[in-house]
């Protein structure tokens, strides 16, 4: 599916592009995908010169859940002393957190194709091989214990979303009762491998230069905005591109050729 995209990237950037064929959920549940991507990245770093690649100029890149994986791989490599440092990370409308599904972008775009709010949560549950009955309580924050809510509110909060992104409407979500059973079922969502936005400051501060692309009509828009803020707060250089008329999947559909056309 990404053959055309990868070829275009390689041609237009004069780069070697390695596409990782990681195993897919639910047949291979979390964290198989991360482990495959990390293994492939480490291997390529060690043999990069065999492909005519400078090991100090390697960038990880992904869109949507691939952006999640790219971010998680970049975090996993920050403390490795046996490998070159990543040159950069490119995160294209990435999923980055499973703490708050009522950020402004989730409220505004919950019914916008291709990634509906309910579908986002359901895909996350399938990734973890969990029952889809947890979809609604997850959307209401019932999985977040008080101590984690207090910890994460300094990183995941609508308060950090610029006002210009709230003009299409936003209502602060009301608190719902915490479910210990639900937390036990889905506590893996608080792992930074699943939710890279939740990584500790010591990891964020060592990440490479970053490019983030967000789309206005995308439930994941605010994940990208919040990650951009965290990175910048730690002095990481960030290039940010926002597609004002973009939606989730824009990049992939754009490279399908003449089959479909849209302004973004």
């Amino acid at each position: 599916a990404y053959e055309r995209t990868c070829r275009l990237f390689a041609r237009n950037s004069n780069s070697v592009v390695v596409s990782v064929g990681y195993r897919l959920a639910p047949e291979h549940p979390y964290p198989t995908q991360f482990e495959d991507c990390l293994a492939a990245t480490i291997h390529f770093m060690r043999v990069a010169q065999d492909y005519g690649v400078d090991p100090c100029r390697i960038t990880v890149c992904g869109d949507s859940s691939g952006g999640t994986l790219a971010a998680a791989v970049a975090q996993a490599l920050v403390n490795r002393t046996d490998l070159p440092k990543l040159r950069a990370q490119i995160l294209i409308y990435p999923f980055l957190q499973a703490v708050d599904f009522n950020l402004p972008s989730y409220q505004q775009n919950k019914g916008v194709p291709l990634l509906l709010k309910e579908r986002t949560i359901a895909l996350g549950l399938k990734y973890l091989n969990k029952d889809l009955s947890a979809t609604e309580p997850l959307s209401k924050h019932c999985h977040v214990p008080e101590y984690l809510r207090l910890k994460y509110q300094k990183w995941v909060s609508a308060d950090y979303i610029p006002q210009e992104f709230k003009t299409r409407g936003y209502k602060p979500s009301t608190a719902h009762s915490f479910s210990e059973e639900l937390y036990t079922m889905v506590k893996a969502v608080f792992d930074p491998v699943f939710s890279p936005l939740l990584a500790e400051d010591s990891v964020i501060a060592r990440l490479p230069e970053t490019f983030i692309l967000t789309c206005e009509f995308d439930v994941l828009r605010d994940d990208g905005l919040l990650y951009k803020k965290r990175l910048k707060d730690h002095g990481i250089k960030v290039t940010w591109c926002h597609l004002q008329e973009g939606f989730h999947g824009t990049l992939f559909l754009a490279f399908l050729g003449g089959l479909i056309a849209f302004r973004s």
Side-chain angles (χ1 to χ4, degrees):
Y2 279 83
E3 175 82 4
R4 185 187 295 267
T5 308
C6 291
R7 284 183 178 276
L8 186 139
F9 279 179
R11 185 169 62 248
N12 287 10
S13 63
N14 192 28
S15 301
V16 172
V17 174
V18 180
S19 181
V20 182
Y22 58 85
R23 290 168 288 176
L24 301 177
E27 293 81 6
H28 301 280
Y30 169 90
T32 303
Q33 296 70 27
F34 163 73
E35 292 167 349
D36 285 355
C37 289
L38 181 61
T41 305
I42 291 172
H43 172 73
F44 187 74
M45 285 180 149
R46 288 174 172 159
V47 301
Q49 290 177 322
D50 295 346
Y51 295 88
V53 172
D54 180 348
C56 296
R57 296 185 66 188
I58 295 173
T59 297
V60 290
C61 171
D63 74 321
S64 194
S65 57
T68 315
L69 293 166
V73 166
Q75 292 181 3
L77 294 174
V78 296
N79 292 318
R80 295 287 295 255
T81 58
D82 59 325
L83 297 167
K85 298 296 182 186
L86 282 175
R87 172 63 184 87
Q89 59 176 343
I90 297 174
L91 311 178
I92 301 167
Y93 37 75
F95 172 93
L96 296 171
Q97 61 84 29
V99 172
D100 189 345
F101 293 107
N102 283 294
L103 291 168
S105 61
Y106 270 103
Q107 291 189 19
Q108 295 162 354
N109 304 309
K110 62 182 179 181
V112 176
L114 302 169
L115 191 64
L116 312 182
K117 173 180 174 178
E118 186 175 317
R119 178 168 170 77
T120 305
I121 300 172
L123 287 172
L125 289 169
K126 284 187 176 183
Y127 186 29
L128 296 174
N129 207 18
K130 302 299 181 183
D131 197 296
L132 296 185
S133 63
T135 300
E136 184 174 351
L138 269 174
S139 73
K140 297 178 178 178
H141 307 165
C142 298
H143 63 303
V144 188
E146 180 68 9
Y147 79 97
L148 286 182
R149 188 186 66 79
L150 293 173
K151 175 181 180 179
Y152 295 142
Q153 67 181 6
K154 63 181 181 292
W155 302 331
V156 185
S157 171
D159 293 344
Y160 304 131
I161 303 300
Q163 190 60 38
E164 65 195 87
F165 294 102
K166 299 176 183 176
T167 55
R168 289 197 289 124
Y170 167 67
K171 292 183 179 180
S173 55
T174 55
H176 290 82
S177 57
F178 168 64
S179 166
E180 183 72 41
E181 180 183 2
L182 181 63
Y183 167 71
T184 301
M185 180 199 302
V186 303
K187 61 183 177 182
V189 304
F190 301 112
D191 183 343
V193 169
F194 190 96
S195 297
L197 185 56
L198 306 184
E200 296 297 330
D201 287 338
S202 58
V203 172
I204 299 293
R206 301 190 66 186
L207 287 170
E209 183 177 351
T210 301
F211 175 93
I212 296 176
L213 184 140
T214 55
C215 292
E216 178 61 28
F217 299 100
D218 181 6
V219 290
L220 303 183
R221 180 197 69 200
D222 293 350
D223 284 21
L225 295 178
L226 292 172
Y227 206 46
K228 174 172 74 82
K229 181 183 185 303
R230 281 204 73 193
L231 291 165
K232 284 193 165 186
D233 285 349
H234 286 278
I236 307 300
K237 183 179 178 182
V238 179
T239 300
W240 171 53
C241 175
H242 182 66
L243 299 182
Q244 192 61 48
E245 297 186 9
F247 53 90
H248 196 85
T250 288
L251 183 78
F252 175 69
L253 292 176
F255 295 143
L256 286 180
L259 300 178
I260 188 169
F262 41 89
R263 288 181 62 179
S264 62

